[in-house]
Amino acid sequence: MSTSRRRFFRWATGVGAALSGALVGWPSLRAFLAPLARREKRTNWIALGEADQIEPGVPTRVDFSEDVNDAWVETRTLRGVWIYTDDNESFTVYNGYCTHLACSYGFEKDKGIFHCPCHHGLFDLKTGTVIDGPPPRPLDTLETKVESGVLYAAYQNFRAGIADKVAVS
């Protein structure tokens, strides 16, 4: 009787160890191999509005929400861009975050410049170049296209605080 009891406990211990190893090992293996299975990131085209409705010579802020995945957590995040055009044919769309520390910036109508209030970064309206302050590079521009009269921008974020324009994946 004791032999079969011992055999049963050995078997149960082996099965328990194998099950524990599988429960811990499978997520670890997936996390380790996940970069190999990553798909190429697709372009996130955001509709910004009717192109002929954007007032020339006046920057327009457009806010939109975006679904963001962080591992297993999915959240909706508010994003923003600034649109500028002189002729309603060519458009400049700036990412809505300052290149210094990724703060939101605004437009000062009386001075005709973009101003980041966090550390007083000042940017040129037409080119986004740094006029004054600590930002290390001009405002980040986004790729644009007009289809069927609607202006689209390929939205993406960039690393803040560095001189090079490096996309955040």
Side-chain angles (χ1 to χ4, degrees):
M1 186 83 175
S2 65
T3 307
S4 64
R5 184 174 177 183
R6 284 184 184 156
R7 188 177 302 146
F8 170 76
F9 280 121
R10 275 192 217 131
W11 178 82
T13 303
V15 168
L19 189 60
S20 296
L23 288 174
V24 171
W26 178 248
S28 300
L29 185 63
R30 282 189 58 201
F32 182 72
L33 296 177
L36 298 177
R38 268 195 197 144
R39 295 183 189 123
E40 191 173 309
K41 187 174 180 175
R42 60 184 170 88
T43 304
N44 189 15
W45 289 99
I46 304 296
L48 300 176
E50 298 291 326
D52 60 356
Q53 298 298 313
I54 297 169
E55 188 176 348
V58 178
T60 305
R61 179 157 174 104
V62 176
D63 294 318
F64 59 93
S65 60
E66 180 181 43
D67 293 329
V68 178
N69 292 321
D70 184 14
W72 292 277
V73 179
E74 184 174 317
T75 56
R76 284 189 80 70
T77 302
L78 184 64
R79 306 276 192 205
V81 297
W82 283 92
I83 306 169
Y84 183 77
T85 182
D86 280 325
D87 55 10
N88 273 51
E89 290 180 15
S90 62
F91 297 88
T92 303
V93 177
Y94 300 109
N95 183 301
Y97 297 114
C98 177
T99 57
H100 178 228
L101 294 176
C103 304
S104 288
Y105 58 91
F107 176 66
E108 288 190 7
K109 189 174 184 178
D110 57 329
K111 295 180 182 176
I113 59 171
F114 289 115
H115 176 235
C116 180
C118 297
H119 298 97
H120 301 291
L122 302 176
F123 301 92
D124 181 70
L125 170 63
K126 294 183 180 186
T127 62
T129 56
V130 178
I131 297 171
D132 193 24
R137 66 176 184 271
L139 292 173
D140 295 320
T141 56
L142 304 174
E143 183 182 351
T144 62
K145 68 180 179 181
V146 177
E147 288 183 353
S148 302
V150 177
L151 175 64
Y152 291 89
Y155 187 82
Q156 61 181 334
N157 283 317
F158 301 91
R159 287 192 53 199
I162 61 173
D164 296 325
K165 184 177 174 181
V166 178
V168 176
S169 54

